[in-house]
Amino acid sequence: MQAAVKAVLPEADAASVLVRPCPDPKFGDYQSNALMALARSRKLNPRQLAADVLARLDVREWCEPVEIAGAGFLNFRLKPEALLRTLSAAAAGEHLFFEKTGAPRTIVIDFSSPNVAKPMHVGHIRSTILGDSLARALRLLGHRVITDNHIGDWGTQFGMLIVGWKTSLDRAALEADPLAEMERIYKLISGRCDPDKPGFDAATLDRARAELVRLQSGDPENRAIWREMIRLSESQFETIYRRLGVQFDYTLGESYYHDRLQAVVDELMRRGIAVESRGAKAVLSDGSLEPKDDPFLIHREGEWVPNPFIIQKQDGGFNYATTDLATLLHRLENWRADEIIYVTDGRQQLHFRQLFATFRRWHPEAPVKLAHVWFGSILGDDGKPFKTRSGENVRLAELLDEAEERALQVVTSKSPDLPESVRRDIARVVGIGAVKYADLLPNRQSDYVFSWDKMLALTGNTAPYLQYAYTRIRSIFRKGSVDPAALGAPPAALPLTAPEELALAKHLLNFGLVLEAVGEEYRPNFLCNYLYDLAGRFTAFYENCPVLNAEPGRREARLLLCDLTARVLQQGLKVLGIETLEQM
């Protein structure tokens, strides 16, 4: 299709010409509406442009004659023999309805990023699960993916933490739960360092500042305490990541870049990209953008006023902006990144707009694609951010514990005769999978309400429903004593005729298109909805098309459809970071 468009319009951006599954099957299996936009921008007749493109488009091997519809739609219908040929290739292991890219890119994904000395809470789950899913999808498509956990291991909070460590640390509590104890001493000392709180103590604030200076100057004692805090924190983080099945290629915290920050500021000042601003050093608007599109301007009281991107504070200290600029440069110089994806909550949108704009002015020649993949909040039943009854953030470890316990209750009620160890393993897979899927299913930019009952349901668009769908398919093979690996290709002369067979088979063919859309638009919810539709189409197929009792030839073809559906379900759930079970 893109080649045909280039033949007619050599100057056109063919990358925007896409063929997608047709939303209404009565019009065809696939459809493209891209020609209408191309015609409109060139003041051409869209139906004539469609006819010109169609004259140069040869898809006879795969499709019935292509139809021009409406104002310039192209509608495609697959030939039954082409459909069967694709199924046979998948059965032979040649593909699973997707192809690896012919132009692999190096993609860095920055996600999770907890802070040292603080327990991971429910707010970390969205970044962690979304980032991991994107990494899995892009790797499956053949890209070189580098995952980097940019932890918060440097900054003013460590002055207060070191004071607390030296004066108020409970060693027994530290051994029992290191992050809880470090969080306790931080809250204790930070309360004394806050002039707006009743427990404010100027002497404590002075000492915290002094301890921070000693740390930053390389004092052996403070560096040893700081390293121990990082070690204990990373150990507990890793426990969470193991439970979630998440791995990182690198864990380079803020401290890794500390020695490079002054050089970043100096170069930006030397090149005039940053300037003095109220005693600080900051990047300001250069007037090259419309005010509404300029991240360095903000509309206030009827006028556009400066919105500086501060890279060095009045006291000479650095901040997230400085660190992120140094980090970005490191990823380009050392990893040769073609694309860098930052997965954070929506509150950081302005920061990343300013970061990317600053970097483009600093390195306009860099061809790297920069993307901020932001997400909304997790809400409780009251529509407010999800908290404990006491108003504290929900700790992620406790959330996962509860997910497994609730899943265990469901498993025990349905299969009380299973050994406890088996029930607990099923509960682990179901509980963790339910939490992940509930987080990935909504549009990532929307807030969603956390509901145990919905996420653990065996009906509806949930992980347990999809896991059960996979298990049910595998039970067909056990019941019929059929080894899926021994299935051959369906007879070439046997077309798929039942509507439910065709609907299921054609939906399988869309798996690769969905994976590509996930990678291009950073939206795993596309895959969630695809898998839910796949499970629904399988149910309709199974209810209307006998499998084990079908006549010879048709039985093998239907078993093949069952196996391919199970394989796509399993692979799709794996991309989402969700395990499957052979029995539930």
Side-chain angles (χ1 to χ4, degrees):
M1 176 80 176
Q2 293 180 351
V5 169
K6 290 295 283 186
V8 176
L9 300 173
E11 83 290 353
D13 177 14
S16 65
V17 178
L18 301 175
V19 177
R20 294 299 190 196
C22 194
D24 189 339
K26 73 180 181 183
F27 295 119
D29 300 314
Y30 297 92
Q31 186 179 79
S32 178
N33 62 1
L35 300 181
M36 292 185 289
L38 290 175
R40 187 164 51 249
S41 64
R42 291 162 175 78
K43 297 182 179 180
L44 300 174
N45 182 311
R47 284 187 66 90
Q48 183 59 53
L49 177 60
D52 293 342
V53 169
L54 187 55
R56 292 165 174 78
L57 184 64
D58 184 5
V59 290
R60 288 172 296 176
E61 181 183 358
W62 299 98
C63 298
E64 306 289 359
V66 181
E67 300 170 355
I68 301 174
F73 288 91
L74 289 184
N75 292 334
F76 302 80
R77 295 182 190 277
L78 287 174
K79 290 181 176 178
E81 57 268 30
L83 180 61
L84 194 64
R85 198 161 58 240
T86 306
L87 294 175
S88 299
E94 295 177 23
H95 60 72
L96 192 59
F97 309 108
F98 68 90
E99 294 181 354
K100 291 188 180 293
T101 179
R105 292 172 291 145
T106 297
I107 302 174
V108 176
I109 308 181
D110 177 327
F111 66 100
S112 195
S113 306
N115 289 316
V116 164
K118 289 184 180 180
M120 291 179 71
H121 56 77
V122 69
H124 290 106
I125 200 164
R126 299 212 76 178
S127 175
T128 304
I129 291 172
L130 177 56
D132 179 58
S133 180
L134 293 176
R136 289 169 181 264
L138 290 164
R139 281 193 177 117
L140 187 64
L141 291 170
H143 297 290
R144 177 186 177 232
V145 177
I146 298 172
T147 53
D148 187 8
N149 193 4
H150 187 70
I151 62 172
D153 64 353
W154 197 252
T156 56
Q157 71 270 28
F158 284 97
M160 291 176 270
L161 279 163
I162 291 171
V163 171
W165 188 283
K166 291 181 176 180
T167 63
S168 306
L169 186 67
D170 182 330
R171 286 284 175 182
L174 186 72
E175 287 188 19
D177 191 340
L179 290 182
E181 175 58 11
M182 286 188 280
E183 186 177 41
R184 182 191 70 82
I185 63 174
Y186 174 72
K187 287 180 177 179
L188 176 69
I189 303 303
S190 64
R192 296 175 186 172
C193 293
D194 188 343
D196 296 327
K197 292 188 176 179
F200 173 64
D201 176 47
T204 301
L205 177 58
D206 289 340
R207 181 171 179 184
R209 287 170 173 165
E211 295 289 10
L212 179 63
V213 170
R214 291 180 64 197
L215 171 67
Q216 294 175 339
S217 301
D219 175 77
E221 181 186 16
N222 283 11
R223 283 293 173 109
I225 293 171
W226 171 71
R227 282 192 290 268
E228 181 66 2
M229 289 179 184
I230 294 174
R231 185 190 69 79
L232 291 169
S233 299
E234 288 187 339
S235 176
Q236 290 208 302
F237 296 160
E238 186 55 36
T239 299
I240 296 287
Y241 294 137
R242 277 198 302 271
R243 293 182 71 177
L244 292 173
V246 174
Q247 295 180 325
F248 293 92
D249 298 307
Y250 294 91
T251 298
L252 300 181
E254 295 169 8
S255 63
Y256 182 81
Y257 304 96
H258 181 69
D259 293 341
R260 312 174 192 196
L261 303 186
Q262 189 61 60
V264 169
V265 173
D266 291 345
E267 183 172 352
L268 290 174
M269 291 293 291
R270 178 178 59 79
R271 293 178 54 179
I273 297 169
V275 296
E276 293 279 350
S277 176
R278 297 182 180 179
K281 294 174 182 175
V283 180
L284 303 177
S285 173
D286 63 359
S288 62
L289 298 172
E290 290 292 324
K292 63 182 177 61
D293 299 321
D294 195 327
F296 305 107
L297 295 175
I298 189 169
H299 198 256
R300 184 180 295 145
E301 297 180 358
E303 63 177 334
W304 293 98
V305 297
N307 186 28
F309 188 52
I310 297 172
I311 59 171
Q312 190 165 23
K313 295 180 285 187
Q314 290 177 329
D315 62 5
F318 305 108
N319 56 14
Y320 290 129
T322 336
T323 302
D324 282 348
L325 285 166
T327 304
L328 207 168
L329 189 60
H330 169 84
R331 290 166 175 169
L332 282 182
E333 292 178 344
N334 292 275
W335 298 337
R336 298 292 187 264
D338 299 304
E339 181 175 354
I340 304 175
I341 301 169
Y342 297 83
V343 185
T344 79
D345 69 71
R347 292 171 297 179
Q348 298 187 44
Q349 290 178 75
L350 176 60
H351 169 79
F352 282 101
R353 287 181 63 214
Q354 292 185 319
L355 174 70
F356 296 167
T358 298
F359 190 79
R360 292 299 183 202
R361 283 158 64 177
W362 184 19
H363 286 279
E365 79 292 347
V368 65
K369 178 181 178 182
L370 302 174
H372 179 212
V373 175
W374 61 272
F375 50 82
S377 300
I378 303 175
L379 307 178
D381 291 333
D382 57 1
K384 297 178 180 178
F386 190 44
K387 304 271 189 180
T388 64
R389 289 181 179 176
S390 63
E392 297 289 318
N393 284 326
V394 178
R395 294 180 64 174
L396 187 47
E398 293 169 359
L399 181 83
L400 299 181
D401 289 343
E402 185 168 357
E404 292 189 28
E405 285 303 315
R406 285 176 178 262
L408 180 62
Q409 293 172 18
V410 175
V411 174
T412 300
S413 69
K414 294 187 176 295
S415 305
D417 298 332
L418 288 175
E420 182 179 357
S421 61
V422 174
R423 284 185 282 120
R424 286 199 173 276
D425 189 53
I426 294 173
R428 176 190 63 80
V429 173
V430 171
I432 301 297
V435 170
K436 288 187 173 187
Y437 193 85
D439 197 80
L440 293 170
L441 175 61
N443 177 338
R444 60 174 167 78
Q445 293 172 338
S446 301
D447 298 339
Y448 77 91
V449 176
F450 190 93
S451 169
W452 286 115
D453 291 340
K454 287 182 180 178
M455 71 174 60
L456 287 168
L458 283 169
T459 57
N461 198 351
T462 67
Y465 170 73
L466 295 177
Q467 290 168 319
Y468 181 69
Y470 171 81
T471 301
R472 188 173 66 157
I473 297 172
R474 286 303 176 212
S475 72
I476 296 170
F477 291 89
R478 290 193 296 273
K479 182 179 178 181
S481 299
V482 177
D483 179 6
L487 289 174
L494 177 65
L496 301 172
T497 55
E500 295 83 8
E501 288 176 316
L502 288 167
L504 178 59
K506 289 177 179 178
H507 196 65
L508 288 170
L509 265 61
N510 293 337
F511 184 44
L513 292 175
V514 173
L515 288 175
E516 289 172 6
V518 169
E520 289 167 5
E521 301 187 38
Y522 317 117
R523 295 188 184 277
N525 61 303
F526 292 168
L527 180 56
C528 295
N529 289 317
Y530 168 83
L531 295 175
Y532 178 62
D533 288 345
L534 178 63
R537 290 171 194 264
F538 179 82
T539 297
F541 157 76
Y542 190 67
E543 289 175 350
N544 291 279
C545 302
V547 177
L548 294 176
N549 295 327
E551 62 270 24
R554 190 171 294 277
R555 180 179 189 266
E556 286 70 28
R558 289 178 175 172
L559 280 169
L560 177 62
L561 269 181
C562 291
D563 181 51
L564 290 173
T565 301
R567 285 162 57 187
V568 169
L569 274 172
Q570 186 176 49
Q571 180 65 78
L573 287 170
K574 187 176 180 181
V575 169
L576 300 174
I578 296 172
E579 296 179 62
T580 50
L581 295 157
E582 295 303 306
Q583 291 181 274
M584 282 178 68

